[in-house]
Amino acid sequence: MNDSDLAIVILAAGKGTRMKSATHKVLHPLGGHPMLHHLMDTVAPLNPTKKIIVAGADKEQVEASVGRIADIVVQEPQLGTGHAVQMTKDLLKGFNGDVLILYGDVPLIAEATMQKMIDTREETGAAVVVLGFRTKDTKAYGRLKVNDNGNLDAIIEFKDANDEERAITLCNSGIMLMTGEHMFDLLDALDDNNAAKEFYLTDVVEIANKKGLSCAVVEADEQEVMGINSRGELAEAEAVFQNNRRQYFMAEGVTLVDPETIYFSYDTIIGRDVTIGPNVVFGPGCRVADNVTIHPFCHIEGATIGSGSSIGPFARLRPAAELGKGVKVGNFVEIKKAEIEDGAKVNHLSYVGDARVGKNANIGAGTITCNYDGYFKYHTDIGEGAFIGSNSALVAPVTIGDGAIVGAGSVVTMAVEADALAIARGKQRALGGWASNFRTNQQNKKNKKG
Ligand code: UD1
Ligand code: MG
């Protein structure tokens, strides 16, 4: 027997009908990451040796999302939370470590809280540790009956509780830690003799006490154990998640000018002394180095931004935008799958996709890399120190050599040598006096008609 062994069981067999979605409830995202994956990520540092998800009829969706990182068992029909945990019997046969039971729709629980449950079980020798929380709005949560010695005597489901029990404000989050040693003995003793005619997991507490085993409670913050059953609750949980990230980044040395308007993804990485203006959204896969300024109204996804760079306002960085140090990307600029090397500038109204922009190159206003012919994508390579005149179209595949200059308004379809000037536009003609003659003639015609 290895006491430090940990197994996790995630209950996710519920139908989630209130989401009104073809997508399984636990696969809806928070900060761009499915709820279920949040849980898997949070438990990872605890090194669980077994990970089991209890799914319902829509097992395939869960399987497609988590792949082989967890075992999936099916609970069909769903006869209650206790019945759900019974489904793990074959997979946990002979397992004597701790079993942590999580809910797939309670994704915000912190690693520290899980660790506290494990520590409490070790310290108290309890057979069951329940995660409780206090709330003003006790709704229909199960209530925790704790005696004067701090032992948890019972969990009373709301439907089965009397008025005195309903007045208890310490509620059951549903999350529970049990020692594998006793778990199936306790589960085997469950019955469905209750108001819901379900096998309640919560009944293991009374059963354990009757067997002379003890039960303990760990308390969590209400927000950490919020459950998600509807789109409204999903939005509330998103707000909690975002607020947590905002507090975290500010504590790490990031200035958020108007925190409530800035949105992060689960994996956003931001360095120190970064300033982020209002209304900036980070999609998944972003890395921002130190001393970067992101001006208001930018949308950034899958992008890397090197130190000292300045982005926006109103810039869009799309996946595989890789910006070096001291890069400037200005207003109404879109960058996709492009390396923008140190010191390069793309300041106004441009699209740069499938490209490299060399060190210190300057891309003039309105420059477009024409990267797509309707079938394939092509690369544009712009050399170090090159200068692309405003309103140029660079028709890929095309190479602009180091130090070359492209005249404004050019449509470049052929390679430009290093240090050359390329002009590819209609030649200008100047016809002296033409404009005033034109106006005189036209005015005369108009006068005759009138
Ligand atoms: C449960 C608790 C209650 C607690 C509340 C917290 C029981 C009996 N009650 O009640 O004390 O306050 O959660 O939200 O445990 N599930 C299955 N299979 C089933 C039934 C449920 O996998 O047969 C899963 C659901 O997908 C969900 C979780 O278990 O993730 C909780 O189920 P739910 O029906 O919401 O339990 P409650 O009645 O709310
Ligand atoms: Mg519920």
Side-chain angles (χ1 to χ4, degrees), residues 4 6-10 33 35-53 69-70 99-103 106-115 117-118 175-177:
S4 62
L6 176 71
I8 60 151
V9 174
I10 301 178
H33 204 39
M35 294 181 210
L36 189 59
H37 291 247
H38 278 275
L39 282 174
M40 303 295 263
D41 290 354
T42 310
V43 297
L46 300 172
N47 296 314
T49 47
K50 286 174 191 284
K51 287 175 271 187
I52 305 168
I53 298 167
I69 59 172
V99 181
L100 177 62
I101 296 156
L102 301 166
Y103 284 4
V106 182
L108 295 175
I109 176 172
E111 184 205 339
T113 305
M114 300 182 188
Q115 187 62 53
M117 293 176 76
I118 295 167
I175 293 164
M176 190 182 274
L177 184 79

Side-chain angles (χ1 to χ4, degrees), residues 59-80:
K59 174 196 175 202
E60 284 70 27
Q61 275 195 27
V62 174
E63 210 161 40
S65 179
V66 299
R68 271 176 289 178
I69 59 172
D71 289 313
I72 302 171
V73 293
V74 175
Q75 181 203 17
E76 193 64 60
Q78 285 126 36
L79 304 179

Side-chain angles (χ1 to χ4, degrees), residues 11-14 54 75 78-81 84 103-105 141-142 155 157 172-174 200-202:
L11 303 192
V54 181
Q75 181 203 17
Q78 285 126 36
L79 304 179
T81 48
Y103 284 4
D105 55 4
Y141 291 115
I155 304 177
E157 284 306 290
N172 177 26
S173 72
Y200 290 164
L201 177 62
T202 46

Side-chain angles (χ1 to χ4, degrees), residues 64 162 201 332 365 425 434:
N162 59 34
L201 177 62
F332 306 106
R425 63 183 184 223
W434 189 94

Side-chain angles (χ1 to χ4, degrees), residues 76-268:
E76 193 64 60
Q78 285 126 36
L79 304 179
T81 48
H83 178 249
V85 181
Q86 281 171 341
M87 300 298 111
T88 65
K89 204 166 189 172
D90 287 346
L91 286 169
L92 291 179
K93 202 170 254 163
F95 184 82
N96 283 327
D98 286 340
V99 181
L100 177 62
I101 296 156
L102 301 166
Y103 284 4
D105 55 4
V106 182
L108 295 175
I109 176 172
E111 184 205 339
T113 305
M114 300 182 188
Q115 187 62 53
K116 201 170 167 195
M117 293 176 76
I118 295 167
D119 294 346
T120 301
R121 213 204 59 69
E122 250 171 49
E123 285 158 22
T124 61
V128 181
V129 177
V130 171
L131 188 64
F133 65 103
R134 292 182 193 275
T135 176
K136 285 196 190 90
D137 185 10
T138 49
K139 296 183 189 151
Y141 291 115
R143 305 296 207 266
L144 303 187
K145 282 178 98 170
V146 179
N147 72 20
D148 294 341
N149 305 326
N151 185 71
L152 175 64
D153 284 346
I155 304 177
I156 312 294
E157 284 306 290
F158 180 78
K159 282 183 184 169
D160 303 282
N162 59 34
D163 287 348
E164 199 183 318
E165 288 160 341
R166 286 184 180 184
I168 298 172
T169 55
L170 183 58
C171 293
N172 177 26
S173 72
I175 293 164
M176 190 182 274
L177 184 79
M178 279 198 263
T179 161
E181 215 182 322
H182 298 298
M183 186 165 102
F184 290 106
D185 284 349
L186 301 176
L187 290 172
D188 286 346
L190 294 178
D191 62 44
D192 61 354
N193 190 11
N194 52 52
K197 294 276 166 282
E198 283 183 3
F199 293 88
Y200 290 164
L201 177 62
T202 46
D203 282 349
V204 297
V205 170
E206 263 179 287
I207 296 166
N209 280 303
K210 274 190 195 130
K211 284 181 184 276
L213 301 165
S214 67
C215 299
V217 177
V218 164
E219 285 190 41
D221 186 80
E222 185 181 351
Q223 285 193 331
E224 207 185 315
V225 293
M226 66 188 290
I228 298 168
N229 298 294
S230 63
R231 308 270 181 169
E233 287 172 354
L234 182 66
E236 279 173 43
E238 180 74 35
V240 171
F241 172 82
Q242 291 298 342
N243 200 41
N244 288 345
R245 295 320 288 160
R246 291 167 191 144
Q247 297 304 326
Y248 166 81
F249 283 123
M250 289 191 282
E252 291 293 307
V254 179
T255 294
L256 305 181
V257 174
D258 187 3
E260 306 243 299
T261 67
I262 300 168
Y263 291 81
F264 299 101
S265 277
Y266 71 103
D267 61 350
T268 308

